[in-house]
Amino acid sequence: MLLLLAAVLMVLLLLLYMLSPLISPKPLALPGAHVVVTGGSSGIGKCIAIECYKQGAFITLVARNEDRLLQAKKEIEKHSINDKQVVLCISVDVSQDYSQVENVIKQAQEKLGPVDMLVNCAGMSLSGKFEDLEVSTFERLMSVNYLGSVYPSRAVITTMKERRVGRIVFLSSQAGQVGLYGFTAYSSSKFAIRGLAEALQMEVKPYNVYVTVAYPPDTDTPGFAEENKTKPLETRLISETTSICTPEQVAKQIVKDAIQGNFNSSIGSDGYMLSSLTCGMAPVTSITEGLQQVATMGLFRVLSLLYLGSFDTIIRRCMTERAKYEIADKTA
């Protein structure tokens, strides 16, 4: 009986594997497509723009700093594959005024056509212990990281649904999958992205519009360098338990997943483990993806407990060392 059940299960899994491609979305063709990248003047955003441009897309870069925008435009244009491609630059803060964001998206669409892919890369990170962070820091990060993704997405979604084609990419973080010491403000804003993306995907999937949430690890960008200046020792030591990725590496994976319509985009073995552990009720692009999550959940949970134990050890060690210094200072 057990052998029969095993055989039936294997046949079922094989059938599901064969049917999997049939339920996956049709890949988005980038040649000639209009891709809007917010936060596109540096870091991951700029590298995503370059990657899309290499594949024949027309690019609209959106960021606050005009000088950086123009510099990024020159870098991106070096990677053109035909003389028809265009890089349009628009300076605006996507987290402040929705009507302003809506207007610049309309300008971009008038010049380069409807938006086929929106990549929300505008964001920032500030770290510190919960009681040391100003309340304004929580408000600022929620505004930039969350509303800075809501506004551009809201501005493009109606046209995408009407055309029944589109991709929207949200840049979260591995700190948007697991809350870490020092990231009470940052993690909150990145976890919010996940909830927005899941609800939005359920709304727009019938219109052939697909949402991708990217969870990059620590990445060697100007923003990461700035973040490290004020990062608590505990946070820095926890971050050092994983390797740093290049923005080019992260960008290639995000673009690949967005083209395929994958809901989740992760980098490396740690990223794969975190995505499986935190999948919850998140949508899957294929039956195969869902089966992999089911099969690996138990093992990855064990590994995650080992990780959490090591993080607790780091925090306790830092607390002990800090207490020793305080005692030494008092007795000196």
Side-chain angles (χ1 to χ4, degrees), residues 24-28 167 210 212 255-262 285:
S24 299
K26 182 180 178 181
L28 178 70
R167 297 286 191 273
Y210 288 89
T212 297
V255 172
K256 178 182 176 182
D257 287 323
I259 289 173
Q260 295 297 325
N262 295 336
T285 311

Side-chain angles (χ1 to χ4, degrees), residues 44-248:
I44 294 174
K46 183 178 71 174
C47 290
I48 286 175
I50 290 173
E51 185 64 26
C52 291
Y53 203 65
K54 284 179 179 178
Q55 299 187 40
F58 289 67
I59 305 295
T60 295
L61 290 180
V62 180
R64 291 176 297 176
N65 191 299
E66 289 189 31
D67 292 335
R68 288 183 186 175
L69 275 171
L70 293 175
Q71 185 178 350
K73 173 184 169 73
K74 292 178 181 178
E75 291 183 48
I76 295 167
E77 287 176 337
K78 295 177 183 177
H79 300 277
S80 65
I81 62 172
N82 62 67
D83 56 5
K84 294 182 180 179
Q85 285 178 274
V86 176
V87 179
L88 176 66
C89 293
I90 300 178
S91 176
V92 68
D93 186 339
V94 295
S95 67
Q96 292 300 311
D97 184 348
Y98 172 69
S99 61
Q100 195 173 18
V101 174
E102 188 177 35
N103 286 335
V104 299
I105 292 296
K106 286 180 179 178
Q107 292 174 25
Q109 293 190 125
E110 287 171 0
K111 293 180 179 180
L112 300 182
V115 177
D116 297 290
M117 181 191 296
L118 167 68
V119 186
N120 292 291
C121 283
M124 66 180 299
S125 174
L126 293 171
S127 57
K129 289 195 295 184
F130 181 66
E131 66 272 24
D132 293 338
L133 292 170
E134 298 290 340
V135 171
S136 59
T137 299
F138 289 85
E139 295 170 343
R140 185 181 180 194
L141 288 183
M142 191 60 73
S143 175
V144 174
N145 295 341
Y146 178 67
L147 293 179
S149 294
V150 170
Y151 292 166
S153 302
R154 179 65 179 77
V156 302
I157 197 65
T158 300
T159 303
M160 284 186 176
K161 289 173 69 175
E162 289 174 351
R163 297 174 63 229
R164 294 186 179 270
V165 62
R167 297 286 191 273
I168 296 179
V169 180
F170 294 105
L171 199 70
S172 182
S173 165
Q174 287 187 351
Q177 294 173 298
V178 55
L180 295 174
Y181 188 106
F183 280 152
T184 51
Y186 179 66
S187 284
S188 308
S189 64
K190 291 299 187 177
F191 267 86
I193 291 292
R194 162 77 176 266
L196 167 65
E198 286 192 12
L200 182 59
Q201 176 64 101
M202 192 174 289
E203 290 186 18
V204 301
K205 187 177 180 180
Y207 297 90
N208 195 40
V209 177
Y210 288 89
V211 174
T212 297
V213 188
Y215 300 101
D218 286 342
T219 307
D220 187 14
T221 65
F224 181 67
E226 190 66 27
E227 172 192 326
N228 278 338
K229 293 179 180 179
T230 58
K231 190 178 286 183
L233 176 61
E234 292 89 341
T235 311
R236 190 166 67 250
L237 292 174
I238 289 172
S239 297
E240 289 173 358
T241 61
T242 60
S243 58
I244 297 177
C245 290
T246 66
E248 292 81 7

